[in-house]
Amino acid sequence: MSEEHWTPPAVLLAVDLVILTLRESRLHVLLIERGVEPYQGALALPGGFLQHAEEDLIAAAHRELAEEAAMDIETLHLEHLGVYGDPGRDPRGRVVSIAYLAIAPGLPEPTAGSDAAGARWHRADQVLSGELRLAFDHRRIVEDGVERARAKLEHSALATAFCGPTFTITDLQRVYEAVWGVSLDPRNFYRKVQKTSGFIVPAGPERKATTGRPARLFKAGPRKVLYPPMVRPVEPSNAKEPKE
Amino acid sequence: MSEEHWTPPAVLLAVDLVILTLRESRLHVLLIERGVEPYQGALALPGGFLQHAEEDLIAAAHRELAEEAAMDIETLHLEHLGVYGDPGRDPRGRVVSIAYLAIAPGLPEPTAGSDAAGARWHRADQVLSGELRLAFDHRRIVEDGVERARAKLEHSALATAFCGPTFTITDLQRVYEAVWGVSLDPRNFYRKVQKTSGFIVPAGPERKATTGRPARLFKAGPRKVLYPPMVRPVEPSNAKEPKE
DNA sequence: CAAATAGTGTCTATCAGACACTATTAG
DNA sequence: CTAATAGTGTCTGATAGACACTATTTG
């Protein structure tokens, strides 16, 4: 083709957001109920079209979040998750969607925005299992987002962000267990976390109210990249061959 | 915004390709010399605009590869690398580029296509060091691609794809050393590779011509995901804290 | 006291890395 | 023989996982 005498076709660009949080020790994803066709009434990820040609992609993602879920969270860190651009994924025509991922603690119950009949938290496992059905290819996007979150817990200090400003080691363990969907030995977890230098540092008066011995409080340490990493228990399917 | 009574803006969508190969035990990246403005004459990644609104992104990537580098490699596996969409990254206007990555062995010397004054292999380290300057934000894209390749060697059997149908363990070691930019102990490497079950399996007559003891030949095994993974030597910056 | 949670000590199997040593070829 | 590359054995220190044990609280 000759680049000089030809105008490239324009494409509709959308952003979709996978917003994950932890509620009652379970991983939840933010979903809206679509207010317009296509898929009116179905559950979907928040998102929408770029508003004008010069709009920054991340800015568009933040704008959609504010519009559709009334979440004006300036500080929410969005990271690129993937591109979903199969022709035919959207009945309105060729829509290429850039997906962003945010993982954050204790996000508020959202309120419905103008575009969406409702925006609510739903359990991620219900989406992954197919118990909840999503519009478009959004289940696939959630799958990718959850897998990304699981991987990030291994190598980054993300888990501390799910806890309050101070937390106990057991609190932190709950985060790993919820996102990974496993249960961990508290004693080995305790030392594993301590040995990963810079991950957590002691904080404040070392007490807390429940039954049992009071736990020490910690806060997030300076390290954002964990070394050594926290490794997920090996899934049986990935496990070592039966014999040799 | 009201989705019903408003037409979203269209955006120019491009694909860019990071094609990596190994030549003389060094990692090389395919670059074209741009034949048109902007950045005429500068080195850049192969790529270009989507041709029509319904074109599949991967198909567009393959097409550009054929057009710009005369590489009609149907089998070349392209994987999504990232999205580069900063407003201002392209002087022609808002261009959002989807980058794809391919990693393959012994690719041929490309010939110039119609769009590009030339397409040639260049050493990846010269791009990363800034010795070679690329158009747009393409150096950044190459950085991301090389990092992705390094990570893939750890967890996937990709390295075998860089070798011929059969290879010696030393051949395989050269791949790791070239991509990671390190040198490895041949004896530990030997057993590490053997212990990763399904990674490589013995092949053919166990001989090969050079000086020294003949080496056994192997071929790629059934496993695509390596367990245990091949781990890169820890960079000093990532290493354990000086003391405690 | 019992129950519950927090935190420590310790054993074992495994593994990465270092490196001495043997094996097999060419010249 | 020497040089060179292939392949094995073995030691050491670190680590993951299992789990006994101690510590500190509430009721």
Side-chain angles (χ1 to χ4, degrees):
Chain A
M1 77 188 182
S2 168
E3 202 168 294
E4 298 100 320
H5 309 307
W6 167 83
T7 301
V11 164
L12 294 188
L13 210 58
V15 293
D16 281 315
L17 291 95
V18 180
I19 314 290
L20 300 176
T21 196
L22 220 52
R23 297 171 70 82
E24 294 129 26
S25 293
R26 283 177 186 278
L27 193 63
H28 284 68
V29 59
L30 186 64
L31 299 176
I32 59 141
E33 189 176 327
R34 285 186 58 81
V36 299
E37 290 293 343
Y39 291 102
Q40 183 163 8
L43 291 172
L45 293 172
F49 291 112
L50 219 61
Q51 195 161 51
H52 58 271
E54 293 306 314
E55 188 178 30
D56 185 80
L57 293 170
I58 296 272
H62 271 110
R63 177 180 50 72
E64 289 292 343
L65 193 56
E67 287 176 3
E68 299 207 326
M71 288 181 123
D72 287 306
I73 308 191
E74 297 278 332
T75 62
L76 194 63
H77 175 70
L78 293 171
E79 76 172 54
H80 175 60
L81 177 60
V83 174
Y84 301 85
D86 289 349
R89 67 180 284 276
D90 191 316
R92 288 167 294 190
R94 184 64 189 281
V95 176
V96 172
S97 180
I98 318 287
Y100 288 90
L101 174 68
I103 310 175
L107 292 177
E109 190 69 36
T111 57
S114 54
D115 269 11
R120 284 183 40 226
W121 295 108
H122 294 266
R123 281 172 47 181
D125 58 342
Q126 294 181 332
V127 174
L128 300 184
S129 71
E131 190 177 336
L132 286 176
R133 305 188 80 91
L134 306 192
F136 308 109
D137 51 2
H138 286 186
R139 173 179 161 183
R140 171 69 198 290
I141 302 179
V142 172
E143 285 173 357
D144 292 349
V146 169
E147 174 51 35
R148 179 77 65 92
R150 287 176 172 159
K152 287 200 76 166
L153 284 200
E154 296 195 90
H155 302 283
S156 82
L158 174 64
T160 58
F162 278 103
C163 304
T166 65
F167 48 86
T168 68
I169 288 183
T170 300
D171 292 338
L172 194 60
Q173 184 181 338
R174 298 280 171 266
V175 176
Y176 278 92
E177 291 180 330
V179 178
W180 284 350
V182 299
S183 72
L184 303 169
D185 183 299
R187 300 157 297 191
N188 291 332
F189 184 86
Y190 192 94
R191 268 163 317 154
K192 178 66 187 258
V193 162
Q194 299 268 45
K195 255 188 303 192
T196 299
S197 65
F199 186 12
I200 59 174
V201 296
E206 44 183 68
R207 338 194 79 255
K208 194 201 168 190
T210 39
T211 175
R213 175 173 174 175
R216 297 178 194 156
L217 287 175
F218 294 84
K219 60 184 180 186
R223 276 289 183 97
K224 295 304 174 205
V225 175
L226 301 186
Y227 191 85
M230 305 290 295
V231 289
R232 282 185 262 191
V234 179
E235 297 171 27
S237 58
N238 256 0
K240 180 176 305 189
E241 303 291 75
K243 257 297 165 237
E244 77 167 56
Chain B
M1 76 188 181
S2 168
E3 203 169 292
E4 298 99 320
H5 310 306
W6 166 83
T7 301
V11 165
L12 295 187
L13 210 58
V15 294
D16 282 314
L17 292 96
V18 181
I19 314 291
L20 299 177
T21 197
L22 220 53
R23 297 172 70 81
E24 292 129 26
S25 292
R26 283 176 187 280
L27 193 64
H28 284 67
V29 59
L30 186 64
L31 298 176
I32 59 141
E33 189 175 327
R34 285 185 59 81
V36 298
E37 290 293 343
Y39 290 102
Q40 183 164 10
L43 291 172
L45 293 172
F49 292 111
L50 218 61
Q51 196 160 51
H52 58 271
E54 292 307 313
E55 187 177 29
D56 185 80
L57 293 170
I58 297 273
H62 273 110
R63 178 180 50 71
E64 289 291 344
L65 193 57
E67 288 176 4
E68 298 207 325
M71 288 181 125
D72 286 305
I73 309 190
E74 297 278 333
T75 62
L76 194 64
H77 175 71
L78 293 171
E79 75 173 54
H80 175 60
L81 178 60
V83 174
Y84 301 85
D86 289 348
R89 68 180 283 277
D90 191 316
R92 288 166 294 189
R94 184 64 189 282
V95 176
V96 172
S97 180
I98 319 286
Y100 288 90
L101 173 69
I103 311 175
L107 291 176
E109 190 70 38
T111 58
S114 54
D115 268 12
R120 282 184 40 226
W121 294 108
H122 294 265
R123 281 172 47 182
D125 59 343
Q126 293 181 331
V127 174
L128 299 183
S129 70
E131 190 178 335
L132 286 176
R133 305 188 80 91
L134 306 192
F136 308 108
D137 51 2
H138 285 187
R139 172 179 162 184
R140 171 69 198 290
I141 303 178
V142 172
E143 285 172 357
D144 292 348
V146 170
E147 174 50 35
R148 178 77 66 92
R150 287 177 172 158
K152 288 201 75 165
L153 283 201
E154 296 193 89
H155 301 282
S156 82
L158 173 65
T160 59
F162 277 104
C163 303
T166 65
F167 48 86
T168 68
I169 288 181
T170 301
D171 292 338
L172 194 60
Q173 184 181 340
R174 298 279 171 266
V175 175
Y176 277 91
E177 291 180 331
V179 178
W180 284 349
V182 299
S183 71
L184 302 169
D185 183 300
R187 299 157 298 190
N188 291 332
F189 183 86
Y190 193 93
R191 268 163 317 155
K192 178 66 187 255
V193 162
Q194 299 269 45
K195 257 187 302 191
T196 299
S197 67
F199 187 12
I200 59 174
V201 296
E206 43 182 67
R207 339 194 80 254
K208 194 200 169 191
T210 39
T211 176
R213 176 175 174 174
R216 298 178 193 154
L217 286 176
F218 294 85
K219 60 184 179 186
R223 277 290 183 96
K224 295 305 174 205
V225 174
L226 301 186
Y227 189 85
M230 306 288 297
V231 289
R232 283 184 261 192
V234 179
E235 297 170 27
S237 57
N238 256 1
K240 183 175 304 192
E241 303 292 70
K243 258 296 165 241
E244 76 167 60

